[in-house]
Amino acid sequence: MQRFQRSLAAALLPLAALLAAPAAQAVTIDDWQHTVPACAPDSLNSLRNAQINAPFGFVRANNPDVPPLVFTCNVLDSFATAVPTWTRLVLQYRDTVGGRVNATLYQKDKVTGVPAMIANVVGPAAAGVNNVAVPVPGMDFALNTYYVVVTLQGSAQNPPQAHTVMLVQ
C-alpha cells in the first residue's frame, strides 16, 4: 500500500507543480487571415454571379451588368477579453483597372448592436496579385464583434479578383 501511495504521489507531483505555476499575464493573438471564397456571399446575386475558385483561393467578378458582389468575412475572436495588437487591414487582390475591389472592416457593439465602419481599403490598379493595406484603430473583442465586407465590381474584360483579407501587426 505504501508503494502505491508513493507511486501516486510521484505521478501527481507534476500536476501539482502545474497548478501552482503563475498564470500567463499576456494573451497573444496571431494575425488573422481569411480567403474570400470562404466568406459568406451576402445575397443570391453574389452567389450566382461570382466565379468562386476555392482551390486557387479567389473570387472573380466577370459580369459588369449585375450589382457589385459582396462577401462577409467574420473576424473570430478566440478570447472575449483579448485586445489584439493588429495595426493594418490588408487586401490581397488582382485588378488591372483599380478601384473595383475593396474591403471594409466593421465593428459592431455587443450591447447596442450598432455597427460602425472603422477601416476601408481599395485596391489600386495591379496587373498581378497585389497587397494593399490601411491602418486600423485598436480593437476590443470584449466590447465589439468585427467583420470584413469585401466588394467586387464586375467586368467582362480583365475581371477583378479578391483573394485574401488579413488583419496583421
Side-chain angles (χ1 to χ4, degrees), residues 2-165:
Q2 282 183 332
R3 189 170 169 188
F4 173 75
Q5 288 174 335
R6 281 193 300 250
S7 296
L8 182 59
L12 292 177
L13 190 59
L15 179 59
L18 181 63
L19 293 174
Q25 296 298 318
V27 175
T28 303
I29 298 179
D30 293 330
D31 294 344
W32 172 85
Q33 57 187 343
H34 207 71
T35 61
V36 178
C39 299
D42 81 323
S43 66
L44 196 53
N45 169 63
S46 295
L47 189 57
R48 282 186 180 161
N49 293 296
Q51 180 184 3
I52 299 172
N53 192 324
F56 289 99
F58 67 82
V59 171
R60 179 182 289 147
N62 54 8
N63 188 344
D65 299 325
V66 299
L69 306 179
V70 179
F71 289 79
T72 303
C73 313
N74 186 26
V75 179
L76 297 175
D77 64 286
S78 299
F79 306 98
T81 58
V83 179
T85 57
W86 299 324
T87 60
R88 295 175 290 136
L89 169 64
V90 180
L91 170 65
Q92 184 181 69
Y93 70 100
R94 187 188 70 76
D95 182 5
T96 57
V97 174
R100 299 182 298 180
V101 182
N102 72 62
T104 306
L105 175 63
Y106 290 90
Q107 74 179 18
K108 185 169 183 163
D109 187 286
K110 287 182 177 180
V111 176
T112 66
V114 175
M117 180 186 79
I118 59 173
N120 185 57
V121 60
V122 179
V129 175
N130 190 35
N131 290 327
V132 62
V134 295
V136 296
M139 298 168 68
D140 187 346
F141 283 101
L143 302 175
N144 303 291
T145 59
Y146 297 90
Y147 56 98
V148 176
V149 175
V150 178
T151 306
L152 297 94
Q153 181 62 54
S155 174
Q157 302 223 338
N158 296 314
Q161 300 173 354
H163 289 251
T164 304
V165 288

